């Protein structure tokens, strides 16, 4: 349980974005952006990249990894159709991508937009940056206590919850994917009906992303550079030192205070930012006196930098998430649900995990089942981390159905649920019964009727399958509606072979037809009636003769 007491440090941010502005969580201090301007090298770069037209891979003034460049341009094309009045230029999205993560350079950017290594900002515990308590359960940032900015565009998880989109059409909204993150950045900048052709709206949009004038200046300078020069698409795997927005990470840059303005003699001038260098080991220069070390002693491996990692390994299952709605909809008994249950397995960084065995189970037996009336099945996740259950079929018992998908993860059992409704299939009805072979040949006593006819039920002249008729054998003179079954004469046989004179017949077939079951005769000749009745009271009487035609016999 997180204590409700405030944490010392910068003011906390509300974990929701409603109309992003300079006070939005996304705009709060959340990490170390790369504020170097075009043609200025970052610390540790050689001087070759300082040339005005340098194109030295991802770090050159106009070099952008091919996948990142494609993602930025796709974001512009999508927004030009979805929000044409915004006038989003891809160079603005690229400017933010450059300042936030240097286009994910050095993180193993892949052609599908993912990266081999997650990009995460510092823990937002209020000590050095903003205070934003956890809003995603550690789903994206691997931290269940405090949020961390994530992905190449460094989204706060709460911002992603409202702005996240699927930019590459793979069915996943992933802030770690540069296609998804670039399009979400465009939506965020265009929010509130902004027109980015307006300098005022452009300024407000960038400030809503990071409330720092130095940040705005850097983004706009990179945007102008990309607009004014030929941009080179460099290979995604061009060697590069990744920019680390978390100062606790190895090779993280110095932390700069945001550019502030001070009053001097009544005029406002920019004050140069001060730099704070994180505590790191320093390699002494040759002139520095240091104790000598034995030549044969290997160099010690540096200790890993401290961080807020939850202990979850990358690519290790942490949670399941439902794909689509919880409800599978409604179906009648015997019908198949149109949508199949799907879940996605994710690791601590929100990456999909393949090869995870997921158990799907129907907990109410009789209400629904998979094929062959199986109520439990195991499915492995595919390359997208998605497991799809077999089709679910509504059973004979109406009511609610609960389905679970579960897997044993590193932090215990991960499970999600689905619900479905089974409705009782309507009872078929008929408004007419007809005998397809009206001529019924008389039978001898102690024998049986041969060549029994078929009966068909229809409703509005259309066949009605599934009609359950009741057959009753009557004496010929007892044909009133409530007539009782005769006690002698023709009869059916039940499942035990015993004579019965009232019988519920099998349902009519898909054509509304039913072949009458075998009719037997005893030693009593005469005229009789076979009455067929629907549940709604529609009646068809079929005359029967035992012995010679016209014999009145022992009828009453």
């Amino acid at each position: 349980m997180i204590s409700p007491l405030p944490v010392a440090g910068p003011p906390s941010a509300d974990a929701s974005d409603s109309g992003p502005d300079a006070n939005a969580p996304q705009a709060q201090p959340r990490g170390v952006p790369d504020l170097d301007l075009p043609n200025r090298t970052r610390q540790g770069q050689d001087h070759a990249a300082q040339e005005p037209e340098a194109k030295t891979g991802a770090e050159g003034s106009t070099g952008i990894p091919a996948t990142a460049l494609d993602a930025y341009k796709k974001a512009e094309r999508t927004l030009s159709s979805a929000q044409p009045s915004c006038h989003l230029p891809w160079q603005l999205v690229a400017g933010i991508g450059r300042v936030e993560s240097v286009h994910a350079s050095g993180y193993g950017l892949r052609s599908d937009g993912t990266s081999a290594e997650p990009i995460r900002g510092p823990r937002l515990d209020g000590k050095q940056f903003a205070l934003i308590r956890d809003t995603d359960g550690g789903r994206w940032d691997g931290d269940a206590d405090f949020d961390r900015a994530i992905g190449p565009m460094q989204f706060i998880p709460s911002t992603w919850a409202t702005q996240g989109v699927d930019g590459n059409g793979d069915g996943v909204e992933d802030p770690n994917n540069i296609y998804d993150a670039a399009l979400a950045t465009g939506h965020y900048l265009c929010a509130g009906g902004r027109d980015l052709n307006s300098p005022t709206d452009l300024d407000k949009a960038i400030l809503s992303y990071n409330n720092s004038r130095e940040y705005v200046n850097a983004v706009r300078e990179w945007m102008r550079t990309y607009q004014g020069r030929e941009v080179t698409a460099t290979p995604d795997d061009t060697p590069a030192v990744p920019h680390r927005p978390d100062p606790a990470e190895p090779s993280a840059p110095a932390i700069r205070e945001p550019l502030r303005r001070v009053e001097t003699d009544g005029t406002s001038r920019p004050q140069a930012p001060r730099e704070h260098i994180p505590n790191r080991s320093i390699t002494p220069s040759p002139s520095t006196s240091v104790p000598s070390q034995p030549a044969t002693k290997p160099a010690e491996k540096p200790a890993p930098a401290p961080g807020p990692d939850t202990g979850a390994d990358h690519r290790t299952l942490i949670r399941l998430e439902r794909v689509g709605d919880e409800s599978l909809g409604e179906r009648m008994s015997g019908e198949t649900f149109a949508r199949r249950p799907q879940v996605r397995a994710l690791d601590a960084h929100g990456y999909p995990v393949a090869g995870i065995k997921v158990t799907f189970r129907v907990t109410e037996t009789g209400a629904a089942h998979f094929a062959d009336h199986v109520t439990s099945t195991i499915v492995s996740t595919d390359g997208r981390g998605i497991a799809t259950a077999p089709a679910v079929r509504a059973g004979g018992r109406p009511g609610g159905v609960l389905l679970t998908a579960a897997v044993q993860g590193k932090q215990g059992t991960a499970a999600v649920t689905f619900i479905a409704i089974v409705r009782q299939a309507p009872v078929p009805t008929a408004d007419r019964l007809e005998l397809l072979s009206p001529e019924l040949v008389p039978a001898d006593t102690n024998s049986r009727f041969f060549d029994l006819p078929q009966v068909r039920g229809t409703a509005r002249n259309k066949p009605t399958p599934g009609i359950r008729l009741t057959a009753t054998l009557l004496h010929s003179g007892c044909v009133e509606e409530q007539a009782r079954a005769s006690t002698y004469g023709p009869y059916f046989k039940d499942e035990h072979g015993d004579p019965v004179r009232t019988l519920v017949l099998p349902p009519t077939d898909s054509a509304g037809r039913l072949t009458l079951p075998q009719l037997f005769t005893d030693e009593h000749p005469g005229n009789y009636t076979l009455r067929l009745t629907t549940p709604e009271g529609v009646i068809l009487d079929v005359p029967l003769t035992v012995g010679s035609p016209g014999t009145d016999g022992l009828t009453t």
Side-chain angles (χ1 to χ4, degrees):
M1 179 68 69
I2 301 295
S3 169
L5 296 177
V7 178
S12 63
D14 185 5
S16 63
D17 286 327
S18 55
D21 55 24
N23 295 316
Q26 186 67 27
Q28 306 311 306
R30 51 181 166 74
V32 183
D34 188 326
L35 298 178
D36 283 327
L37 301 180
N39 302 321
R40 268 182 54 188
T41 58
R42 292 195 292 154
Q43 184 178 3
Q45 285 187 274
D46 59 35
H47 294 282
Q50 298 186 49
E51 296 302 322
E53 297 302 325
K55 298 181 181 180
T56 55
E59 296 303 328
S61 294
T62 56
I64 298 178
T67 296
L69 181 59
D70 185 52
Y72 301 148
K73 291 184 177 181
K74 282 187 175 179
E76 179 193 78
R77 290 196 297 270
T78 300
L79 269 297
S80 66
S81 298
Q83 300 185 51
S85 61
C86 176
H87 301 109
L88 173 79
W90 69 261
Q91 294 91 343
L92 172 59
V93 183
I96 290 179
R98 175 58 175 79
V99 173
E100 292 291 355
S101 69
V102 193
H103 313 303
S105 299
Y107 285 93
L109 185 62
R110 305 184 183 103
S111 60
D112 64 354
T114 61
S115 57
E117 182 182 350
I119 308 172
R120 296 188 297 185
R123 197 181 208 199
L124 300 179
D125 55 9
K127 295 178 181 179
Q128 193 173 14
F129 299 95
L131 168 60
I132 304 181
R133 300 190 187 279
D134 175 67
T135 59
D136 68 337
R139 171 188 178 185
W140 296 119
D141 54 13
D143 193 323
D145 295 325
F146 297 95
D147 273 347
R148 304 174 70 175
I150 45 176
M153 310 304 279
Q154 288 291 279
F155 273 101
I156 297 294
S158 64
T159 304
W160 185 258
T162 59
Q163 302 292 331
V165 292
D166 177 12
N168 59 355
D170 65 353
V172 182
E173 297 175 1
D174 184 358
N176 298 290
N177 187 295
I178 200 165
Y179 284 103
D180 297 358
L183 182 57
T185 297
H187 279 286
Y188 185 87
L189 296 171
C190 290
R194 294 190 182 110
D195 180 359
L196 300 180
N197 278 345
S198 164
T200 300
D201 278 3
L202 177 61
D203 195 72
K204 290 180 179 178
I206 303 174
L207 283 172
S208 74
Y209 212 93
N210 190 313
N211 189 14
S212 161
R213 179 53 55 186
E214 190 178 18
Y215 181 92
V216 174
N217 292 342
V219 169
R220 296 187 71 158
E221 188 65 26
W222 280 107
M223 178 185 71
R224 285 191 291 265
T225 296
Y226 294 138
Q227 289 173 331
R229 300 181 187 177
E230 180 183 356
V231 176
T232 303
T234 62
D236 292 338
D237 58 356
T238 299
V241 176
H243 169 72
R244 304 287 185 182
D246 183 357
E249 293 285 340
S251 74
I255 305 172
R256 294 181 175 179
E257 290 184 355
L259 184 68
R260 297 177 296 173
R261 305 192 70 84
V262 295
E263 299 294 330
T264 306
D265 299 329
T267 61
S268 177
R269 298 188 182 131
Q271 179 185 21
R274 295 174 294 174
E275 293 190 350
H276 302 274
I277 306 298
N279 184 18
R280 301 182 187 152
S281 60
I282 300 176
T283 302
S285 64
S287 61
T288 305
S289 176
V290 296
S292 60
Q293 298 292 335
T296 58
K297 183 176 180 180
E300 294 183 1
K301 184 177 180 180
D309 202 337
T310 60
D313 295 332
H314 182 53
R315 315 302 289 178
T316 299
L317 176 74
I318 292 296
R319 66 188 300 270
L320 287 180
E321 72 172 10
R322 187 186 304 108
V323 177
D325 295 335
E326 181 183 26
S327 175
L328 300 178
E330 299 183 3
R331 281 293 182 269
M332 298 295 180
S333 297
E335 295 180 341
T336 299
F337 286 90
R339 189 165 69 86
R340 295 161 63 182
Q342 281 188 320
V343 295
R344 182 182 292 108
L346 301 171
D347 66 9
H349 311 299
Y351 286 95
V353 185
I356 298 296
K357 295 185 182 298
V358 181
T359 300
F360 291 91
R361 188 183 306 277
V362 179
T363 59
E364 284 88 4
T365 57
H369 54 83
F370 301 114
D372 299 325
H373 293 272
V374 172
T375 57
S376 178
T377 185
I378 298 176
V379 180
S380 295
T381 56
D382 60 18
R384 299 177 299 160
I386 293 177
T388 304
V392 180
R393 188 173 180 83
R397 183 168 62 82
V401 179
L402 179 67
L403 297 97
T404 62
V407 66
Q408 185 66 36
K410 185 174 181 180
Q411 298 181 349
T413 301
V416 295
T417 59
F418 297 87
I419 57 175
I421 302 296
V422 176
R423 300 293 185 193
Q424 181 66 53
V427 177
T429 60
D431 55 24
R432 183 171 182 269
L433 294 176
E434 60 179 330
L435 199 64
L436 297 182
S437 301
E439 296 287 338
L440 192 61
V441 178
D444 295 332
T445 57
N446 295 316
S447 181
R448 61 176 179 164
F449 286 90
F450 295 93
D451 300 324
L452 291 169
Q454 282 189 328
V455 177
R456 181 171 63 187
T458 58
R460 297 181 180 180
N461 295 320
K462 292 184 179 181
T464 54
I467 300 296
R468 299 300 298 263
L469 303 179
T470 299
T472 306
L473 290 159
L474 309 172
H475 296 296
S476 60
C478 302
V479 292
E480 69 275 10
E481 291 188 2
Q482 300 300 324
R484 295 180 179 179
S486 63
T487 57
Y488 55 86
Y491 62 90
F492 301 109
K493 290 183 179 181
D494 62 15
E495 64 271 19
H496 304 294
D498 296 328
V500 291
R501 293 180 170 86
T502 297
L503 185 67
V504 177
L505 305 182
T508 55
D509 62 16
S510 59
R513 299 185 178 191
L514 167 69
T515 299
L516 294 175
Q518 185 63 62
L519 264 172
F520 300 90
T521 62
D522 60 11
E523 67 276 12
H524 298 92
N527 294 325
Y528 301 88
T529 299
L530 169 62
R531 171 164 293 177
L532 302 174
T533 309
T534 70
E536 299 76 37
V538 178
I539 294 175
L540 173 65
D541 286 336
V542 180
L544 303 175
T545 300
V546 178
S548 58
T551 301
D552 190 37
L554 299 175
T555 57
T556 59

